[in-house]
Amino acid sequence: MTSPTPEVILIDARIYTVDADRPWAEAIAIANGRIIAVGTTDEITALAHPSTVVRDLGGAFVMPGLVDVHNHHFLAGKEDLFELRVPIGATIDGIIAAVAEHASGLPEDAWVVGGPWASDRLGDVSTAAALARLDAAAGGRPVMLSDDSHHNRWVSSRALAIAEIAVGHEGALVDSEHPDRLTGVLLEAAGIPVAQAHAAAGGLTVDQERRASQRGVEILNSYGITAFQDAGVSTHILGALHALDVAGDLTAWVVSSMLINDEIFGFSDIGEDLVFDGERFRSEHHRPDFVKIFLDGVPPTRTGAFLEPYLPDDAHGDHFRGETLLDPAALTEWLRRVAAVGLSAKIHCTGDASVHAVLNAVEQLRTDGITAPRYQVAHGQFVHPDDIPRFAALGVSADISPFIWVPGPIVEAIREVLPRERADRIQPNRALIDAGAVVAGGSDWPVSPSPNAWEGIHGLVTREDPTGDYPGTLWPEQAITLEEAIAAFTANGAEAMGLGDETGTITPGKSADFVLLDRDPFTHPPHELARTTVTETWFAGRCVFVRRPADA
């Protein structure tokens, strides 16, 4: 069979392929959006046709397009285009100031929607006095601000009234000194009525939804991401992705995770009405192949499920461990039902008890001969040592997200609710890799301020905060090598998502998805990894992002 004529040849590069059969190369040839040859400059130049575009990269570093196994691209794009952005790490004064400035330009009854406020500010915002300040800053408008986990909200009195939330509403926090007064802080599903009230007041148009999705993908491309898994979608996001792809405007591989239960978003279509109807949204680059299950919440609000108790407090006592949102039988039954129609599953687990429950359910399914579906433990921040070997044995991938394997605000918030010796044993990535698990990197953006994989890679290798704002290291024994960290954000992510045959390595036959960097990360100190910058992103054989000098 005759090989196609190369349309583009890139030569004189330092190419890290992440392909074990040929990890390094100098040149690649591209035709019809695919890689048709990888080799030395001389070998690939010999394939050139008079019509071939040959580009000399002058020694630039090239590697596969980055893969983000866990983000919420639509929410991030919507926030970027249409919502208030609270400064990262803002104090309560900073949050109030941002709300006041944003609200001043809005109509009298408009909603103030945005975020994030930092998890370790929970004590500051959860008072009746803080709520009064929020009400005043918004001029009496309804306000809904998400925290940095996007699991919890701080809302104004007007929003509480519209959603008909009063004292006694489960998950609605009251003032510690005035238990008859709400603070506006709503934990997990307690915030859904407010999200639904906002949607009822007038959500995005179909065109705005498409723009939000496209903007999310554009930002991802600017960080070199050419494949990602959206970790929680409903019909409107599926529709936006499908429309973009049909129009030729989707510049990444996308795997969607359709929500079985919805503890934080307030989307209208979930469960039965969504997951068994997703196939109609499939297109060339969009694959609705996964479901998403929330099995617990997040540790800072004591909604993560643990095998051992949280630190005691007045509300929960001495022996509170949290609980899973589905019992073992319900979890197993859902996984069995979706497997019957060819769907894999991403399961949100932040506590070690929820991880244990997922592994038990998958073990039952594997025993019953259900071997095809892929399973991902999403987050898996805390894993009991006895469960670590079970990931590889059961074919369960570890979706490590967000970038909290380093000191930072979420870790600080966890230290307030768990004993320090347990709180600091977070993200056992070294142990999982040594046990043979597929460890796949995810940002959970916009939980992470940006989807910059190099910040995550920096932390994986050093266990240090790449910003330098939080000193020290976090469980440094769990650091991994640069090669392993790059694999987590390329080949491993593609494998975990079911895209291993399409992308994740620079290999003949795969999609021509790759990035050019401003440096060779292997020749720079580990503590400089976060400075690595993507200068070009290529998807399916075409350049979809070029960094301008002003962007550097």
Side-chain angles (χ1 to χ4, degrees), residues 18 63-69 71 220-229 251-253 441 451-455 457 485-491 493-494 497 499 503-505 513-517 532-534 536-539:
V18 196
M63 61 174 283
L66 293 158
V67 179
D68 186 337
V69 79
N71 68 43
L220 290 167
N221 286 163
S222 75
Y223 288 100
I225 294 162
T226 57
F228 66 90
Q229 185 165 352
T251 53
W253 298 95
N452 184 356
W454 288 101
E455 294 176 3
I457 290 169
I486 289 175
F489 280 94
T490 53
M497 292 159 52
L499 292 175
T503 193
T505 64
D513 307 335
F514 55 88
V515 295
L516 278 63
L517 304 182
T532 304
T533 301
V534 172
E536 292 186 22
T537 303
W538 287 60
F539 171 70

Short mmCIF file of all heavy atoms in Angstrom, two decimals, residues 18 63-69 71 220-229 251-253 441 451-455 457 485-491 493-494 497 499 503-505 513-517 532-534 536-539:
data_model
loop_
_atom_site.label_atom_id
_atom_site.label_comp_id
_atom_site.label_asym_id
_atom_site.label_seq_id
_atom_site.Cartn_x
_atom_site.Cartn_y
_atom_site.Cartn_z
N VAL A 18 7.10 10.15 23.59
CA VAL A 18 6.39 9.38 24.62
C VAL A 18 5.98 8.01 24.08
O VAL A 18 5.04 7.38 24.57
CB VAL A 18 5.20 10.15 25.21
CG1 VAL A 18 4.72 9.53 26.52
CG2 VAL A 18 5.54 11.63 25.47
N MET A 63 6.68 17.74 21.61
CA MET A 63 6.16 16.57 22.34
C MET A 63 4.68 16.41 22.00
O MET A 63 4.09 17.28 21.35
CB MET A 63 6.35 16.76 23.84
CG MET A 63 5.63 17.94 24.44
SD MET A 63 5.75 18.01 26.24
CE MET A 63 4.55 16.75 26.69
N PRO A 64 4.07 15.31 22.40
CA PRO A 64 2.64 15.13 22.08
C PRO A 64 1.79 16.23 22.68
O PRO A 64 2.13 16.84 23.71
CB PRO A 64 2.31 13.77 22.72
CG PRO A 64 3.62 13.08 22.88
CD PRO A 64 4.63 14.15 23.12
N GLY A 65 0.64 16.47 22.06
CA GLY A 65 -0.33 17.37 22.66
C GLY A 65 -0.70 16.88 24.04
O GLY A 65 -0.78 15.67 24.30
N LEU A 66 -0.90 17.82 24.95
CA LEU A 66 -1.20 17.45 26.33
C LEU A 66 -2.64 16.96 26.46
O LEU A 66 -3.53 17.37 25.71
CB LEU A 66 -0.95 18.65 27.24
CG LEU A 66 0.54 19.04 27.32
CD1 LEU A 66 0.71 20.47 27.76
CD2 LEU A 66 1.30 18.09 28.25
N VAL A 67 -2.85 16.08 27.42
CA VAL A 67 -4.15 15.47 27.65
C VAL A 67 -4.58 15.78 29.08
O VAL A 67 -3.85 15.52 30.03
CB VAL A 67 -4.07 13.94 27.44
CG1 VAL A 67 -5.43 13.29 27.72
CG2 VAL A 67 -3.60 13.61 26.02
N ASP A 68 -5.76 16.35 29.21
CA ASP A 68 -6.32 16.71 30.52
C ASP A 68 -7.50 15.79 30.77
O ASP A 68 -8.55 15.93 30.15
CB ASP A 68 -6.75 18.18 30.51
CG ASP A 68 -7.21 18.69 31.86
OD1 ASP A 68 -7.61 17.87 32.71
OD2 ASP A 68 -7.18 19.91 32.08
N VAL A 69 -7.34 14.86 31.68
CA VAL A 69 -8.34 13.82 31.87
C VAL A 69 -9.53 14.29 32.71
O VAL A 69 -10.51 13.56 32.86
CB VAL A 69 -7.69 12.55 32.47
CG1 VAL A 69 -7.48 12.70 33.98
CG2 VAL A 69 -8.49 11.31 32.16
N ASN A 71 -11.58 18.05 33.39
CA ASN A 71 -11.85 19.48 33.53
C ASN A 71 -13.31 19.74 33.26
O ASN A 71 -14.09 18.84 32.97
CB ASN A 71 -10.92 20.33 32.65
CG ASN A 71 -11.17 20.18 31.17
OD1 ASN A 71 -12.31 20.16 30.70
ND2 ASN A 71 -10.09 20.08 30.39
N LEU A 220 -7.84 25.96 26.48
CA LEU A 220 -7.11 24.70 26.61
C LEU A 220 -6.04 24.58 25.53
O LEU A 220 -4.90 24.19 25.81
CB LEU A 220 -8.08 23.52 26.55
CG LEU A 220 -9.01 23.37 27.75
CD1 LEU A 220 -10.14 22.40 27.44
CD2 LEU A 220 -8.23 22.90 28.98
N ASN A 221 -6.37 24.90 24.30
CA ASN A 221 -5.38 24.88 23.22
C ASN A 221 -4.19 25.78 23.53
O ASN A 221 -3.04 25.46 23.19
CB ASN A 221 -6.00 25.33 21.90
CG ASN A 221 -6.93 24.34 21.26
OD1 ASN A 221 -7.73 24.70 20.39
ND2 ASN A 221 -6.89 23.08 21.66
N SER A 222 -4.45 26.92 24.18
CA SER A 222 -3.35 27.86 24.46
C SER A 222 -2.37 27.28 25.47
O SER A 222 -1.23 27.75 25.57
CB SER A 222 -3.91 29.18 24.98
OG SER A 222 -4.36 29.10 26.33
N TYR A 223 -2.79 26.26 26.21
CA TYR A 223 -1.90 25.56 27.13
C TYR A 223 -1.41 24.22 26.54
O TYR A 223 -0.86 23.39 27.26
CB TYR A 223 -2.60 25.31 28.47
CG TYR A 223 -2.77 26.57 29.28
CD1 TYR A 223 -3.98 27.25 29.32
CD2 TYR A 223 -1.70 27.10 30.00
CE1 TYR A 223 -4.13 28.41 30.06
CE2 TYR A 223 -1.84 28.26 30.75
CZ TYR A 223 -3.06 28.91 30.77
OH TYR A 223 -3.20 30.06 31.51
N GLY A 224 -1.62 24.02 25.26
CA GLY A 224 -1.12 22.82 24.59
C GLY A 224 -1.99 21.61 24.72
O GLY A 224 -1.58 20.50 24.36
N ILE A 225 -3.21 21.76 25.19
CA ILE A 225 -4.10 20.62 25.41
C ILE A 225 -4.87 20.33 24.12
O ILE A 225 -5.56 21.20 23.58
CB ILE A 225 -5.05 20.89 26.59
CG1 ILE A 225 -4.23 20.97 27.88
CG2 ILE A 225 -6.13 19.81 26.70
CD1 ILE A 225 -4.94 21.62 29.03
N THR A 226 -4.74 19.10 23.65
CA THR A 226 -5.40 18.68 22.42
C THR A 226 -6.38 17.54 22.63
O THR A 226 -7.00 17.07 21.68
CB THR A 226 -4.36 18.25 21.37
OG1 THR A 226 -3.54 17.21 21.92
CG2 THR A 226 -3.46 19.42 20.97
N ALA A 227 -6.53 17.10 23.88
CA ALA A 227 -7.52 16.08 24.22
C ALA A 227 -7.87 16.26 25.68
O ALA A 227 -7.00 16.51 26.52
CB ALA A 227 -6.97 14.67 23.98
N PHE A 228 -9.18 16.15 25.97
CA PHE A 228 -9.58 16.30 27.37
C PHE A 228 -10.89 15.57 27.62
O PHE A 228 -11.63 15.24 26.69
CB PHE A 228 -9.71 17.77 27.76
CG PHE A 228 -10.82 18.54 27.07
CD1 PHE A 228 -12.09 18.61 27.61
CD2 PHE A 228 -10.57 19.21 25.88
CE1 PHE A 228 -13.10 19.32 26.98
CE2 PHE A 228 -11.57 19.94 25.24
CZ PHE A 228 -12.85 19.99 25.79
N GLN A 229 -11.14 15.34 28.89
CA GLN A 229 -12.40 14.74 29.32
C GLN A 229 -13.14 15.76 30.17
O GLN A 229 -12.62 16.22 31.20
CB GLN A 229 -12.16 13.46 30.12
CG GLN A 229 -13.44 12.72 30.49
CD GLN A 229 -13.18 11.29 30.95
OE1 GLN A 229 -12.06 10.80 30.85
NE2 GLN A 229 -14.20 10.62 31.42
N THR A 251 -11.40 21.90 18.18
CA THR A 251 -9.95 21.73 17.98
C THR A 251 -9.32 20.91 19.10
O THR A 251 -8.23 21.22 19.58
CB THR A 251 -9.28 23.10 17.87
OG1 THR A 251 -9.63 23.91 19.01
CG2 THR A 251 -9.70 23.82 16.60
N ALA A 252 -10.00 19.86 19.52
CA ALA A 252 -9.46 18.91 20.49
C ALA A 252 -10.34 17.66 20.47
O ALA A 252 -11.52 17.71 20.09
CB ALA A 252 -9.45 19.51 21.90
N TRP A 253 -9.75 16.55 20.85
CA TRP A 253 -10.54 15.37 21.14
C TRP A 253 -11.25 15.60 22.47
O TRP A 253 -10.62 16.05 23.43
CB TRP A 253 -9.66 14.13 21.26
CG TRP A 253 -8.90 13.77 20.02
CD1 TRP A 253 -7.63 14.12 19.68
CD2 TRP A 253 -9.38 12.96 18.94
NE1 TRP A 253 -7.27 13.59 18.47
CE2 TRP A 253 -8.34 12.87 17.99
CE3 TRP A 253 -10.59 12.31 18.69
CZ2 TRP A 253 -8.48 12.16 16.80
CZ3 TRP A 253 -10.73 11.60 17.51
CH2 TRP A 253 -9.69 11.52 16.57
N GLY A 441 -3.23 12.57 34.46
CA GLY A 441 -3.29 13.92 35.01
C GLY A 441 -4.50 14.70 34.56
O GLY A 441 -4.89 14.67 33.39
N PRO A 451 -5.63 25.54 33.44
CA PRO A 451 -5.37 24.15 33.08
C PRO A 451 -3.93 23.91 32.65
O PRO A 451 -3.65 22.97 31.89
CB PRO A 451 -6.33 23.93 31.92
CG PRO A 451 -6.35 25.25 31.22
CD PRO A 451 -6.21 26.30 32.31
N ASN A 452 -3.00 24.73 33.14
CA ASN A 452 -1.60 24.64 32.73
C ASN A 452 -0.97 23.36 33.28
O ASN A 452 -0.61 23.28 34.46
CB ASN A 452 -0.83 25.86 33.24
CG ASN A 452 0.61 25.89 32.77
OD1 ASN A 452 1.09 24.95 32.11
ND2 ASN A 452 1.32 26.94 33.13
N ALA A 453 -0.83 22.37 32.43
CA ALA A 453 -0.30 21.07 32.87
C ALA A 453 1.11 21.19 33.43
O ALA A 453 1.51 20.38 34.27
CB ALA A 453 -0.31 20.08 31.71
N TRP A 454 1.87 22.20 33.01
CA TRP A 454 3.24 22.33 33.49
C TRP A 454 3.29 22.71 34.96
O TRP A 454 4.26 22.39 35.66
CB TRP A 454 4.05 23.29 32.62
CG TRP A 454 4.33 22.62 31.31
CD1 TRP A 454 3.69 22.82 30.13
CD2 TRP A 454 5.26 21.56 31.09
NE1 TRP A 454 4.18 21.96 29.17
CE2 TRP A 454 5.14 21.18 29.73
CE3 TRP A 454 6.19 20.90 31.88
CZ2 TRP A 454 5.91 20.16 29.17
CZ3 TRP A 454 6.97 19.90 31.32
CH2 TRP A 454 6.83 19.53 29.98
N GLU A 455 2.25 23.37 35.45
CA GLU A 455 2.18 23.60 36.90
C GLU A 455 1.95 22.28 37.62
O GLU A 455 2.54 22.01 38.67
CB GLU A 455 1.07 24.59 37.20
CG GLU A 455 1.33 25.99 36.65
CD GLU A 455 0.18 26.94 36.88
OE1 GLU A 455 -0.81 26.53 37.53
OE2 GLU A 455 0.26 28.09 36.43
N ILE A 457 2.78 19.27 36.42
CA ILE A 457 3.99 18.46 36.25
C ILE A 457 5.06 18.91 37.24
O ILE A 457 5.74 18.09 37.86
CB ILE A 457 4.47 18.54 34.79
CG1 ILE A 457 3.49 17.78 33.87
CG2 ILE A 457 5.88 17.98 34.64
CD1 ILE A 457 3.72 18.03 32.39
N ALA A 485 5.69 12.04 34.86
CA ALA A 485 4.74 13.14 34.92
C ALA A 485 4.24 13.52 33.53
O ALA A 485 3.05 13.80 33.33
CB ALA A 485 5.38 14.34 35.61
N ILE A 486 5.15 13.55 32.55
CA ILE A 486 4.74 13.84 31.17
C ILE A 486 3.80 12.75 30.66
O ILE A 486 2.78 13.04 30.01
CB ILE A 486 5.97 14.01 30.26
CG1 ILE A 486 6.69 15.32 30.59
CG2 ILE A 486 5.56 13.98 28.79
CD1 ILE A 486 7.99 15.51 29.81
N ALA A 487 4.11 11.51 30.98
CA ALA A 487 3.23 10.41 30.56
C ALA A 487 1.83 10.57 31.16
O ALA A 487 0.83 10.28 30.50
CB ALA A 487 3.83 9.07 30.96
N ALA A 488 1.77 11.03 32.41
CA ALA A 488 0.47 11.23 33.06
C ALA A 488 -0.39 12.22 32.28
O ALA A 488 -1.62 12.08 32.23
CB ALA A 488 0.65 11.70 34.50
N PHE A 489 0.25 13.22 31.66
CA PHE A 489 -0.49 14.24 30.93
C PHE A 489 -0.46 14.04 29.42
O PHE A 489 -0.78 14.96 28.66
CB PHE A 489 0.05 15.63 31.29
CG PHE A 489 -0.47 16.16 32.60
CD1 PHE A 489 0.26 15.98 33.77
CD2 PHE A 489 -1.68 16.81 32.67
CE1 PHE A 489 -0.20 16.46 34.98
CE2 PHE A 489 -2.16 17.30 33.88
CZ PHE A 489 -1.43 17.12 35.05
N THR A 490 -0.08 12.84 28.98
CA THR A 490 -0.13 12.53 27.55
C THR A 490 -0.67 11.11 27.35
O THR A 490 -1.88 10.92 27.32
CB THR A 490 1.27 12.68 26.89
OG1 THR A 490 2.24 11.90 27.61
CG2 THR A 490 1.71 14.14 26.87
N ALA A 491 0.21 10.13 27.26
CA ALA A 491 -0.20 8.77 26.92
C ALA A 491 -1.16 8.17 27.94
O ALA A 491 -2.14 7.51 27.58
CB ALA A 491 1.05 7.88 26.79
N GLY A 493 -3.22 9.71 30.03
CA GLY A 493 -4.53 10.34 29.94
C GLY A 493 -5.33 9.83 28.76
O GLY A 493 -6.53 9.54 28.86
N ALA A 494 -4.66 9.70 27.61
CA ALA A 494 -5.33 9.17 26.43
C ALA A 494 -5.83 7.75 26.67
O ALA A 494 -6.96 7.40 26.29
CB ALA A 494 -4.39 9.23 25.23
N MET A 497 -8.92 7.61 28.94
CA MET A 497 -10.12 8.13 28.28
C MET A 497 -10.59 7.26 27.12
O MET A 497 -11.63 7.54 26.53
CB MET A 497 -9.84 9.54 27.76
CG MET A 497 -9.66 10.58 28.83
SD MET A 497 -8.76 12.05 28.23
CE MET A 497 -9.71 12.50 26.79
N LEU A 499 -8.74 6.93 24.32
CA LEU A 499 -8.23 7.56 23.11
C LEU A 499 -6.81 7.13 22.78
O LEU A 499 -6.14 7.78 21.97
CB LEU A 499 -8.28 9.09 23.24
CG LEU A 499 -9.66 9.74 23.28
CD1 LEU A 499 -9.52 11.24 23.54
CD2 LEU A 499 -10.42 9.51 21.98
N THR A 503 -4.33 9.33 20.04
CA THR A 503 -3.49 10.45 20.45
C THR A 503 -2.70 10.05 21.69
O THR A 503 -2.78 8.93 22.17
CB THR A 503 -4.36 11.70 20.69
OG1 THR A 503 -3.51 12.84 20.80
CG2 THR A 503 -5.22 11.55 21.93
N GLY A 504 -1.90 10.97 22.21
CA GLY A 504 -1.13 10.72 23.43
C GLY A 504 0.33 10.45 23.21
O GLY A 504 1.13 10.62 24.13
N THR A 505 0.71 10.02 22.00
CA THR A 505 2.11 9.84 21.64
C THR A 505 2.30 10.31 20.20
O THR A 505 1.33 10.42 19.44
CB THR A 505 2.56 8.36 21.73
OG1 THR A 505 1.84 7.58 20.77
CG2 THR A 505 2.32 7.80 23.13
N ASP A 513 -1.21 15.46 16.69
CA ASP A 513 -1.47 16.35 17.83
C ASP A 513 -0.15 16.51 18.59
O ASP A 513 0.37 15.55 19.15
CB ASP A 513 -2.50 15.74 18.78
CG ASP A 513 -3.78 15.33 18.08
OD1 ASP A 513 -4.10 15.89 17.02
OD2 ASP A 513 -4.47 14.43 18.61
N PHE A 514 0.37 17.73 18.59
CA PHE A 514 1.66 17.94 19.26
C PHE A 514 1.81 19.41 19.61
O PHE A 514 1.03 20.27 19.16
CB PHE A 514 2.82 17.46 18.38
CG PHE A 514 2.87 18.07 17.01
CD1 PHE A 514 3.54 19.26 16.77
CD2 PHE A 514 2.24 17.44 15.94
CE1 PHE A 514 3.59 19.81 15.51
CE2 PHE A 514 2.28 17.99 14.67
CZ PHE A 514 2.96 19.18 14.45
N VAL A 515 2.81 19.68 20.44
CA VAL A 515 3.08 21.06 20.85
C VAL A 515 4.56 21.36 20.68
O VAL A 515 5.41 20.47 20.76
CB VAL A 515 2.68 21.32 22.32
CG1 VAL A 515 1.17 21.18 22.50
CG2 VAL A 515 3.41 20.39 23.28
N LEU A 516 4.84 22.63 20.45
CA LEU A 516 6.21 23.15 20.50
C LEU A 516 6.35 23.94 21.79
O LEU A 516 5.44 24.68 22.18
CB LEU A 516 6.48 24.08 19.31
CG LEU A 516 6.86 23.45 17.97
CD1 LEU A 516 5.74 22.59 17.41
CD2 LEU A 516 7.24 24.55 16.97
N LEU A 517 7.48 23.75 22.48
CA LEU A 517 7.72 24.43 23.74
C LEU A 517 8.83 25.46 23.60
O LEU A 517 9.62 25.41 22.65
CB LEU A 517 8.12 23.42 24.83
CG LEU A 517 7.15 22.27 25.09
CD1 LEU A 517 7.68 21.40 26.23
CD2 LEU A 517 5.75 22.78 25.42
N THR A 532 7.79 26.47 31.90
CA THR A 532 7.69 25.94 30.54
C THR A 532 6.45 26.52 29.86
O THR A 532 5.36 26.54 30.43
CB THR A 532 7.61 24.41 30.57
OG1 THR A 532 8.75 23.89 31.28
CG2 THR A 532 7.58 23.84 29.17
N THR A 533 6.62 26.96 28.63
CA THR A 533 5.54 27.63 27.90
C THR A 533 5.32 26.97 26.55
O THR A 533 6.28 26.64 25.85
CB THR A 533 5.88 29.11 27.70
OG1 THR A 533 6.06 29.74 28.97
CG2 THR A 533 4.77 29.83 26.94
N VAL A 534 4.07 26.79 26.20
CA VAL A 534 3.71 26.28 24.88
C VAL A 534 3.75 27.44 23.88
O VAL A 534 3.14 28.48 24.09
CB VAL A 534 2.30 25.67 24.92
CG1 VAL A 534 1.83 25.31 23.51
CG2 VAL A 534 2.28 24.43 25.82
N GLU A 536 3.41 26.73 20.31
CA GLU A 536 2.46 26.36 19.26
C GLU A 536 1.73 25.09 19.67
O GLU A 536 2.32 24.21 20.31
CB GLU A 536 3.16 26.10 17.92
CG GLU A 536 3.77 27.30 17.27
CD GLU A 536 4.33 27.01 15.88
OE1 GLU A 536 3.88 26.01 15.25
OE2 GLU A 536 5.21 27.76 15.42
N THR A 537 0.47 25.00 19.29
CA THR A 537 -0.33 23.78 19.49
C THR A 537 -0.87 23.34 18.15
O THR A 537 -1.49 24.14 17.42
CB THR A 537 -1.50 24.05 20.46
OG1 THR A 537 -0.99 24.54 21.70
CG2 THR A 537 -2.30 22.78 20.69
N TRP A 538 -0.66 22.06 17.83
CA TRP A 538 -1.16 21.48 16.59
C TRP A 538 -2.17 20.39 16.91
O TRP A 538 -1.92 19.53 17.78
CB TRP A 538 -0.01 20.87 15.77
CG TRP A 538 0.89 21.88 15.12
CD1 TRP A 538 1.64 22.84 15.74
CD2 TRP A 538 1.14 22.01 13.72
NE1 TRP A 538 2.34 23.57 14.82
CE2 TRP A 538 2.06 23.08 13.57
CE3 TRP A 538 0.69 21.35 12.60
CZ2 TRP A 538 2.52 23.48 12.32
CZ3 TRP A 538 1.15 21.74 11.34
CH2 TRP A 538 2.07 22.81 11.22
N PHE A 539 -3.29 20.43 16.23
CA PHE A 539 -4.33 19.41 16.40
C PHE A 539 -4.74 18.90 15.03
O PHE A 539 -5.05 19.69 14.13
CB PHE A 539 -5.55 19.98 17.13
CG PHE A 539 -6.73 19.05 17.15
CD1 PHE A 539 -6.69 17.89 17.91
CD2 PHE A 539 -7.85 19.30 16.38
CE1 PHE A 539 -7.75 17.01 17.91
CE2 PHE A 539 -8.93 18.42 16.38
CZ PHE A 539 -8.88 17.27 17.15
#
